[in-house]
């Protein structure tokens, strides 16, 4: 496997600008039009071009750095026929011509949009449909995307004659070349709009609000992303719409904490319940569930209800973990104090009850 970094003569930590400079230098030296007598020039330039195409794309470069191979894209094509063809790329490198830039008359896909949606834990557990308002660039309803005022239409550009390009002859060290540049009058479209639409001002698009229904499946987690194909902004010149990406955010819950598919909560019990055991109500997403706790439960002990947590996207559900919270009484009558002292004596404990501080009494009165 050829090392793309070695081919361009750069370090693996090279910046995008360093990679571009290295490619331009090598392209000037090894371009087939420069080395017309070299039978290996085409293949050598193709290798240089291939290395640049991979390393100049952040996503493909990351794939190459990780796996050591180029991400499949259907091939780079011949160096003379696609990408950086010998004439166009040379003009672009030396003279700044349009070269391999996109055709401004070709269909253009619309932009993708992002929308953030808040969910309650109950909505995330059950799944829900939400209708949301999406503000997006849409096809102008007045001119239907033409950009021209009603009763008029776009006209052929008088500067380039509808070609979208202008040609200039230029003498170089390699001979006489014809440089092709984008027409500045029509921006390469070959057409001009004399009477623009008053609604969209000639752009063919205007901001509109559309209601979109989002189906949110049960079990989604905080930060989940849903893709709605074709619900983004309108394309240009018949291009496809972009997509809408909905990011989901779960609001904090007053009773439960979520960790993955499991839920966590606390259950308050009295000192007597903790000591003797009892049946207590444990909150679940489906409502309170009566559950028996054994005698001798200690503060911090956990009761687990299997399958009572959040549903998962693959089926099934997580667990619900309820932490026992023993609440010690702070206000006792004389009779209750006496009974506790009798209990302590029966256990052989010698208790010396302490009087409350004045500040503690004030706090109790304020509660």
């Amino acid at each position: 496997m050829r090392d793309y970094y070695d081919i361009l003569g750069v370090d693996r930590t090279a910046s995008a600008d360093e990679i571009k400079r290295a490619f331009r230098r090598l392209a000037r030296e090894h371009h087939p039009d420069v080395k017309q007598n070299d039978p290996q020039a085409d293949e050598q330039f193709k290798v240089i071009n291939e290395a640049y195409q991979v390393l100049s794309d952040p996503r493909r470069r990351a794939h190459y750095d990780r796996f050591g191979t180029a991400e499949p894209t259907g091939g780079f094509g011949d160096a003379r026929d696609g990408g950086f063809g010998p004439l166009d790329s040379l003009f672009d490198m030396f003279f700044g011509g349009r070269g391999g830039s996109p055709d401004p008359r070709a269909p253009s896909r619309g932009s993708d949009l992002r929308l953030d949606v808040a969910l309650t834990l109950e909505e995330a557990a059950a799944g829900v449909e939400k209708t949301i308002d999406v503000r997006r660039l849409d096809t102008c309803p007045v001119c239907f995307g033409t950009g021209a005022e009603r009763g008029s239409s776009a006209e052929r550009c008088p500067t380039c004659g509808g070609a979208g390009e202008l040609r200039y002859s230029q003498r170089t060290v390699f001979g006489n070349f014809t440089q092709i540049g984008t027409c500045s009058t029509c921006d390469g479209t070959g057409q001009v709009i004399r009477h623009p639409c008053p609604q969209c001002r000639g752009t063919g698009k205007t901001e509109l609000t559309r209601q979109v229904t989002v189906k949110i499946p049960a079990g989604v987690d905080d930060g989940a992303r849903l893709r709605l194909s074709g619900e983004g902004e309108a394309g240009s010149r018949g291009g496809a719409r972009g997509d809408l990406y909905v990011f989901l955010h779960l609001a904090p819950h007053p009773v439960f904490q979520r960790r993955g598919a499991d839920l966590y909560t606390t259950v308050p019990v009295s000192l007597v319940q903790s000591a003797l055991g009892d049946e207590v109500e444990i909150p679940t997403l489906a409502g309170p569930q009566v559950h028996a706790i054994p005698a001798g439960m200690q503060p911090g002990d956990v009761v687990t209800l299997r399958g009572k947590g959040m549903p998962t996207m693959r089926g099934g559900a997580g667990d619900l973990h309820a932490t026992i919270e023993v609440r010690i009484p702070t206000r006792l009558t004389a009779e209750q104090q006496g009974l506790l002292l009798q209990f302590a004596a029966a256990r052989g404990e010698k208790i010396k009850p302490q009087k409350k501080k004045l500040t503690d009494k004030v706090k109790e009165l304020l509660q």
Side-chain angles (χ1 to χ4, degrees):
M1 179 67 188
R2 293 170 295 198
D3 189 316
Y4 291 145
Y5 291 100
D6 285 345
I7 291 171
L8 296 183
V10 296
D11 295 333
R12 302 189 75 84
T13 58
S15 66
D17 286 340
E18 290 172 334
I19 290 173
K20 180 183 290 187
R21 286 196 298 268
F23 168 71
R24 288 179 179 271
R25 175 178 55 78
L26 291 172
R28 287 188 178 96
E29 295 176 6
H30 301 284
H31 199 283
D33 284 350
V34 177
K35 292 189 171 184
Q36 296 183 4
N37 297 324
D38 186 352
Q40 303 298 322
D42 270 336
E43 184 62 28
Q44 191 170 12
F45 184 76
K46 183 177 180 180
V47 172
I48 295 170
N49 182 40
E50 178 181 325
Y52 176 69
Q53 292 289 347
V54 172
L55 298 186
S56 63
D57 185 321
R59 180 176 59 81
R60 296 177 67 189
R61 181 180 180 180
H63 184 280
Y64 176 75
D65 288 343
R66 183 177 181 184
F67 299 105
T69 58
E71 186 177 24
T73 59
F76 294 97
D78 190 273
R80 285 190 173 272
D81 299 328
F84 293 88
L87 293 178
D88 285 345
S89 65
L90 201 60
F91 291 146
D92 185 44
M93 287 186 296
F94 292 161
F95 313 119
R98 190 168 81 182
S101 59
D103 185 352
R105 294 169 293 187
S108 174
R109 182 179 180 275
S111 299
D112 294 336
L113 296 177
R114 168 179 175 150
L115 197 65
D116 294 274
V117 173
L119 291 178
T120 65
L121 188 65
E122 287 80 4
E123 288 175 330
V128 67
E129 285 191 3
K130 280 187 173 287
T131 301
I132 55 179
D133 291 334
V134 180
R135 190 77 174 167
R136 67 187 188 185
L137 280 178
D138 225 326
T139 302
C140 177
V142 176
C143 67
F144 304 105
T146 66
E149 188 179 33
R150 284 189 178 180
S152 67
S153 60
E155 303 173 6
R156 180 182 294 180
C157 175
T159 303
C160 64
E165 300 174 335
L166 296 175
R167 295 173 177 266
Y168 307 93
S169 295
Q170 187 161 356
R171 183 180 296 276
T172 74
V173 294
F174 307 110
N176 291 326
F177 291 100
T178 298
Q179 181 184 1
I180 302 175
T182 302
C183 175
S184 59
T185 302
C186 63
D187 292 327
T189 63
Q191 294 182 322
V192 292
I193 298 175
R194 301 292 186 189
H195 305 285
C197 169
Q199 175 72 21
C200 65
R201 299 180 181 179
T203 64
K205 299 179 187 178
T206 187
E207 256 197 2
L208 297 174
T209 298
R210 168 182 168 81
Q211 287 193 330
V212 176
T213 299
V214 184
K215 295 182 179 180
I216 301 171
V220 293
D221 207 342
D222 185 66
R225 184 187 73 173
L226 302 178
R227 174 175 170 266
L228 277 66
S229 179
E231 292 294 351
E233 294 190 335
S236 300
R237 299 174 294 280
R241 283 188 173 278
D243 298 330
L244 173 64
Y245 290 90
V246 178
F247 287 78
L248 305 176
H249 304 279
L250 267 61
H253 197 276
V255 176
F256 302 108
Q257 288 185 331
R258 178 180 181 178
R259 299 175 196 164
D262 289 350
L263 294 178
Y264 295 80
T265 189
T266 58
V267 177
V269 299
S270 70
L271 180 64
V272 177
Q273 287 176 309
S274 173
L276 301 180
D278 195 6
E279 291 185 345
V280 298
E281 286 189 347
I282 297 179
T284 72
L285 288 172
Q289 177 175 312
V290 176
H291 187 83
I293 60 172
M297 289 291 284
Q298 300 298 308
D301 284 353
V302 176
V303 175
T304 297
L305 303 184
R306 301 296 180 189
K308 295 297 181 179
M310 292 289 291
T312 66
M313 303 291 288
R314 300 181 299 274
D319 300 328
L320 173 64
H321 307 279
T323 300
I324 298 299
E325 183 182 78
V326 180
R327 295 188 175 177
I328 308 300
T330 57
R331 298 180 184 180
L332 296 174
T333 65
E335 180 183 3
Q336 291 169 339
Q337 288 181 350
L339 290 173
L340 284 177
L341 287 172
Q342 291 180 28
F343 174 73
R347 289 176 55 85
E349 299 177 5
K350 295 182 178 180
I351 303 297
K352 294 182 178 179
Q354 303 295 309
K355 293 183 178 180
K356 291 185 178 180
K357 297 180 181 178
L358 179 61
T359 54
D360 293 334
K361 292 182 178 180
V362 171
K363 288 180 181 178
E364 288 185 4
L365 292 174
L366 293 176
Q367 289 180 349

